[in-house]
Amino acid sequence: MKKIAIIGGQGFIGKHISVYLKNKGISPMIYDVQDSDEPNYRKIDISSSTSVEDVDLNVDYIFMFAGLTGTYVGFDKYQTYNAINEIGLMNLLNAIRKSEFRPKIIFPSTRLVYKGNDKPLKETDEKECKTIYAVNKIACEGILQAYHESFDIPYSVFRICIPYGNLLSTDYSFGTIGFFIKQAKAGKDITLYGGGNLKRTFTHMEDLCNQIVEGAFDSRSNGEVFNIGGETLSLKEAAEIIAEKYGTNVVDVPWPEKDLRIESGHTYFEDTKIRSLLNMGKYKQLRDFSKDI
């Protein structure tokens, strides 16, 4: 039986990883900064090296899903972003390197590390950082590689584009699709900056958990970076699917200047690498998902 810890297990993706593991008969130990009375839970603050000492490192895998997300807000809260997103990871890695244990670290990265281009992006394609969050993710990928090379700490990185759906509840969907649903359910038009022509890879949470967990468990993923696969749509196409469900419209609105300056452009993934690792079928489709919301 695999022994697994999830740091950031109270976050949206962390909770889904936990449910996915439990469905496989694995009960992970959960760590997060929030208070909780749940079993197999311990409160820690990853920005504190002392607090991280409370993590039980005698496990096979640590899913390191604690961190701050966001775009423009990182410029205002850069110290907090760096403390949690980068120092937090190094606190964990330093605790591991000083121990006798070598759990494999599973780390989520983001589409925002790429320089936008209207083509399926490979893991090796050009990178560009327009936000502090993207800088943090690129730095963390490098930090993991450095500790792997110097201290034999295994890891895998999974870059995520646009996750959606919910395996825990029917009343909420994550991120961009969640925003569309919230507007449409309220009878409002779905607003899109600049017409919504930008393309993304949309991944249902079930497919996302499958790729991350099963990819992590495969020894061939050690030291590797993978794009998470899914369905490629423009933001407008995705919004129209949700708008059609609720009988609302999709409306173009101008880009605010500060948002346009940090917009990455087209970011959709080539998934050949993850498919070569895992035996996957067809991804879940947004239109099928919309029938059940």
Side-chain angles (χ1 to χ4, degrees):
M1 180 64 67
K2 297 179 175 67
K3 294 177 63 178
I4 295 176
I6 304 175
I7 299 178
Q10 293 286 72
F12 187 75
I13 296 180
K15 285 183 177 179
H16 275 79
I17 295 291
S18 178
V19 168
Y20 186 92
L21 291 169
K22 289 176 181 177
N23 288 339
K24 291 175 69 70
I26 303 170
S27 295
M29 183 68 187
I30 305 298
Y31 299 89
D32 211 307
V33 72
Q34 304 172 41
D35 292 314
S36 176
D37 295 326
E38 295 181 14
N40 297 328
Y41 182 90
R42 186 172 297 167
K43 181 179 178 179
I44 65 163
D45 176 2
I46 61 168
S47 66
S48 164
S49 58
T50 302
S51 183
V52 170
E53 292 175 0
D54 289 335
V55 176
D56 180 3
L57 302 176
N58 185 18
V59 296
D60 301 302
Y61 301 88
I62 297 178
F63 287 77
M64 181 55 169
F65 279 64
L68 294 177
T69 63
T71 51
Y72 200 84
V73 66
F75 294 109
D76 296 323
K77 298 182 178 180
Y78 62 91
Q79 291 177 317
T80 304
Y81 269 64
N82 288 341
I84 294 176
N85 291 350
E86 294 183 37
I87 300 300
L89 176 61
M90 285 189 281
N91 284 337
L92 175 63
L93 292 169
N94 272 312
I96 294 171
R97 79 177 176 94
K98 294 174 183 178
S99 78
E100 61 182 298
F101 306 112
R102 288 296 181 267
K104 185 176 183 179
I105 307 300
I106 312 305
F107 186 80
S109 191
T110 174
R111 70 174 182 87
L112 295 170
V113 302
Y114 287 107
K115 183 177 177 62
N117 201 344
D118 192 3
K119 68 170 189 174
L121 295 167
K122 299 179 181 180
E123 289 83 355
T124 54
D125 277 339
E126 186 177 358
K127 308 301 184 295
E128 181 178 60
C129 295
K130 291 189 173 183
T131 65
I132 299 302
Y133 174 63
V135 171
N136 292 156
K137 288 297 188 181
I138 283 288
C140 286
E141 290 186 20
I143 289 165
L144 285 163
Q145 183 179 10
Y147 277 78
H148 176 65
E149 295 292 337
S150 294
F151 307 109
D152 296 319
I153 300 175
Y155 76 94
S156 295
V157 171
F158 296 90
R159 293 182 183 142
I160 300 169
C161 195
I162 304 293
Y164 73 92
N166 193 340
L167 304 180
L168 311 176
S169 170
T170 59
D171 62 355
Y172 177 77
S173 178
F174 187 72
T176 300
I177 296 300
F179 170 74
F180 293 165
I181 293 172
K182 184 177 180 180
Q183 283 189 298
K185 268 189 172 182
K188 300 177 181 178
D189 292 333
I190 298 174
T191 55
L192 287 176
Y193 292 150
N197 67 312
L198 298 176
K199 298 175 187 175
R200 302 282 188 262
T201 296
F202 291 83
T203 309
H204 190 274
M205 289 302 300
E206 185 175 329
D207 288 332
L208 184 143
C209 290
N210 175 64
Q211 291 175 70
I212 291 177
V213 174
E214 304 305 332
F217 287 173
D218 193 311
S219 62
R220 294 173 296 170
S221 69
N222 186 27
E224 298 291 341
V225 178
F226 298 90
N227 288 334
I228 292 293
E231 176 187 16
T232 297
L233 298 167
S234 71
L235 291 168
K236 184 175 183 180
E237 288 171 331
E240 286 175 340
I241 290 172
I242 304 302
E244 179 182 329
K245 167 74 176 186
Y246 291 100
T248 59
N249 300 305
V250 178
V251 177
D252 299 349
V253 295
W255 277 98
E257 182 182 358
K258 72 173 187 177
D259 293 305
L260 182 59
R261 290 169 74 97
I262 61 173
E263 170 53 47
S264 58
H266 297 287
T267 44
Y268 55 101
F269 292 164
E270 181 185 291
D271 62 353
T272 301
K273 189 173 180 181
I274 191 71
R275 280 195 170 276
S276 68
L277 185 72
L278 303 176
N279 182 22
M280 295 185 300
K282 184 179 179 181
Y283 297 119
K284 291 185 177 299
Q285 303 292 291
L286 182 60
R287 185 166 294 280
D288 292 334
F289 164 78
S290 71
K291 296 174 183 177
D292 298 324
I293 55 177

